[in-house]
Amino acid sequence: MNLPKTIRMTEVGPRDGLQNEAQTVSVADKVRFIDLLSQAGAAEIEVSSFVNPQWVPQLGDAAEVFARIKRRSGVVYSALVPNDRGLDGALEAGVDKVAVFTAASETFSQQNTNASIAQTIERFQPVIARAKQSKLLVRAYISCVVQCPYEGPVAPKQVRDVAAKLLDIGADEIDLGETIGVAVPTDIDSLYDGLAGLVQPADSTLHLHDTRGTALACAVRAMQLGVTSFDASCGGLGGCPYAPGAAGNLATDDLVYLCDRMGIETHVDLPKLFDAGRHIAGALGRGLRSRVFEASAEA
Ligand code: HMG
Ligand code: MG
């Protein structure tokens, strides 16, 4: 099998995970979670979002969380920003990197950001320009790269068109969001075929959700195609409040276990990741959706 020697892991549990919980986790528990994740070896941690707190109340404490985490040297601490106002908050908090977010589906874009795709791109122009003046890297998410919860299947060409616009306005990294967790490995082939000549697999990040238990199979296929940057969430937390039917992200635990066994370096230490998982499971008062995490409790 043609597989990479090493992959880069972005831990999105504190953001994608906690944005989707019915209860808001305390600042102290979030900070501990993030500090345990950095100790476990995540290259990048998506700490929170500077969005309208009426839209995502669970992350309304982003500034406080950033102020209290222990920054570990070499770890990139990032946050989602939808507009100029969000970038102001992110700059004040001293983030290392920002992530703007749009979609390949018009209805999802409206539901998630109250704007058309074109309007989100317009909003991002000054955000990206200012982020670059501050020497921040910019990730640009495209949601619904395989299917939209409102419109159904999304053509790879739609993803390509949005990616081209994001690159045009200066995005450093295209992050492909399989928002609702429907993809199977052949969808990953179609997605990257559609991006040929514009975004190389090795230059993209893949953000899988695992609603139907297919995320790990898609990750392996993506690695075979040359993808080396993945988002995943500790214990499989995650989902988007504006994507009905979306369950957790690909669990970091599951991907790290698979990579460890296949000789692919992730730099994440699985027992330390379980510590982070146990902590957040305790704060949430429930179990987590990772098979590997569950097995660790039984071992
Ligand atoms: P809007 O209501 O159209 O914004 O929301 P607006 O510009 O009309 O402003 C309305 C009010 O919100 C104003 O306050 C603004 O100041 C305030 P007022 O003057 O009325 O008191 N406001 C803000 N407050 C704090 N921070 C801000 C901000 N912006 C405006 N940044 C907006 C537009 C984009 C802000 C809103 O729709 C929003 O916050 N959406 C966020 C939705 C979200 O976070 N979704 C989840 C993340 S995306 C995801 O999960 C997918 C992903 O994981 C990939 C995948 O899986 O596919 C990334
Ligand atoms: Mg997501």
Side-chain angles (χ1 to χ4, degrees):
M1 249 199 247
N2 188 21
L3 290 166
K5 288 196 169 43
T6 172
I7 60 168
R8 183 173 194 277
M9 301 287 304
T10 297
E11 173 57 55
V12 298
R15 194 280 303 170
D16 206 328
L18 300 184
Q19 76 180 8
N20 204 43
E21 291 297 326
Q23 54 176 308
T24 298
V25 173
S26 72
V27 170
D29 278 330
K30 286 178 178 170
V31 168
R32 176 104 182 106
F33 183 39
I34 293 160
D35 288 345
L36 287 167
L37 290 167
S38 67
Q39 285 165 30
E44 182 167 333
I45 302 178
E46 217 166 69
V47 170
S48 194
S49 299
F50 290 91
V51 297
N52 183 341
Q54 283 181 349
W55 282 62
V56 186
Q58 296 91 331
L59 302 183
D61 53 11
E64 235 182 309
V65 172
F66 264 99
R68 288 173 52 182
I69 51 177
K70 265 195 218 87
R71 307 237 187 165
R72 203 177 158 89
S73 159
V75 177
V76 174
Y77 294 92
S78 64
L80 258 58
V81 300
N83 53 17
D84 262 321
R85 167 95 190 257
L87 181 64
D88 291 341
L91 289 173
E92 235 166 85
V95 306
D96 298 318
K97 178 172 174 181
V98 291
V100 296
F101 52 103
T102 185
S105 139
E106 281 296 349
T107 312
F108 185 77
S109 180
Q110 282 293 347
Q111 295 289 329
N112 196 39
T113 57
N114 203 20
S116 67
I117 298 169
Q119 284 167 334
T120 62
I121 306 275
E122 212 170 289
R123 276 180 190 169
F124 297 161
Q125 272 179 350
V127 172
I128 294 180
R130 276 208 300 142
K132 296 217 151 170
Q133 276 164 18
S134 300
K135 308 250 178 299
L136 298 185
L137 284 172
V138 180
R139 154 181 284 198
Y141 276 107
I142 305 173
S143 284
C144 306
V145 295
V146 173
Q147 195 163 309
C148 166
Y150 306 100
E151 294 183 12
V154 169
K157 165 101 175 55
Q158 287 171 247
V159 181
R160 184 188 179 91
D161 290 348
V162 177
K165 289 185 184 125
L166 290 166
L167 291 170
D168 250 9
I169 60 169
D172 298 300
E173 173 191 355
I174 298 294
D175 191 324
L176 301 164
E178 207 285 85
T179 314
I180 55 174
V182 291
V184 295
T186 42
D187 291 315
I188 304 302
D189 281 274
S190 306
L191 176 63
Y192 282 101
D193 282 350
L195 289 166
L198 182 71
V199 181
Q200 296 308 322
D203 298 329
S204 72
T205 293
L206 189 59
H207 176 106
L208 296 160
H209 283 259
D210 198 24
T211 317
R212 291 166 182 77
T214 54
L216 204 50
C218 290
V220 173
R221 182 63 193 140
M223 285 192 267
Q224 289 178 314
L225 295 176
V227 178
T228 57
S229 174
F230 290 88
D231 294 345
S233 127
C234 176
L237 296 167
C240 174
Y242 299 99
N249 286 79
L250 166 61
T252 315
D253 320 51
D254 296 357
L255 185 58
V256 170
Y257 172 81
L258 177 134
C259 288
D260 282 355
R261 295 290 318 280
M262 292 175 82
I264 301 164
E265 180 61 72
T266 66
H267 303 287
V268 177
D269 180 284
L270 204 45
K272 287 187 182 166
L273 184 68
F274 294 151
D275 290 342
R278 276 191 292 272
H279 166 72
I280 202 64
L284 292 168
R286 66 166 174 83
L288 301 179
R289 256 180 115 243
S290 153
R291 298 272 180 86
V292 168
F293 178 79
E294 283 171 4
S296 79
E298 286 155 18

